Amino acid sequence: MKTEIHVVGAAIIQYGKIFCAQRSSTMSLPLKWEFPGGKIEKGESPQDALTREILEEMSCQVIVGDQVAHTVHEYDFGVVHLTTFICVIIEGEPILKEHKSMKWLLAEELASLDWAPADIPTVEKLQEMNSRG
């Protein structure tokens, strides 16, 4: 039986653009793009986990807003349950500590990147939300 991994991701929106992070070559799913975040630790709410992960990974404070998507994707290393939330930076600028690269893109530009499979439903939801205005 595969490991069940519960993770959270941040769709950080600033000035109408969405933050995208590229995984480093040493991470699983190397060089794929994702919404930053990480594993939920025991006793943490998804929102608390996301606030902590963004502070650890990118040295900025976020406010966690509405849920965008929840997806379950089976990888060879386990079954990932990913919940993504809209986030807004309230302090600091993203500094990459673990990722290779970052971009700020408009919703309609998101499809130009090679996303990790679990993140694709969030990309689609963000594009839908954008097209509705």
Side-chain angles (χ1 to χ4, degrees), residues 18 20 32-33 35 103-116 119-128 130:
I18 301 160
C20 312
K32 291 277 190 194
W33 289 83
F35 298 103
K103 288 184 178 187
W104 289 94
L105 296 179
L106 295 168
E108 59 267 26
E109 297 171 322
L110 294 175
S112 66
L113 301 179
D114 181 20
W115 290 92
D119 286 288
I120 292 171
T122 301
V123 169
E124 292 168 351
K125 282 268 178 57
L126 290 167
Q127 290 171 324
E128 275 171 40
N130 182 61

Side-chain angles (χ1 to χ4, degrees), residues 33-48:
W33 289 83
E34 67 177 0
F35 298 103
K39 290 189 181 101
I40 301 172
E41 292 180 0
K42 198 173 168 68
E44 261 184 334
S45 72
Q47 291 86 347
D48 288 345

Side-chain angles (χ1 to χ4, degrees), residues 55-113:
L55 189 58
E56 288 173 5
E57 283 184 17
M58 303 190 329
S59 297
C60 48
Q61 287 276 359
V62 294
I63 291 178
V64 180
D66 293 341
Q67 181 176 318
V68 180
H70 177 80
T71 50
V72 179
H73 191 86
E74 189 170 333
Y75 292 100
D76 52 7
F77 57 82
V79 180
V80 171
H81 298 259
L82 169 65
T83 307
T84 49
F85 296 88
I86 299 285
C87 292
V88 177
I89 295 173
I90 52 169
E91 192 178 305
E93 285 292 320
I95 296 165
L96 297 183
K97 296 181 181 177
E98 298 178 11
H99 291 84
K100 178 184 193 311
S101 184
M102 66 177 172
K103 288 184 178 187
W104 289 94
L105 296 179
L106 295 168
E108 59 267 26
E109 297 171 322
L110 294 175
S112 66
L113 301 179

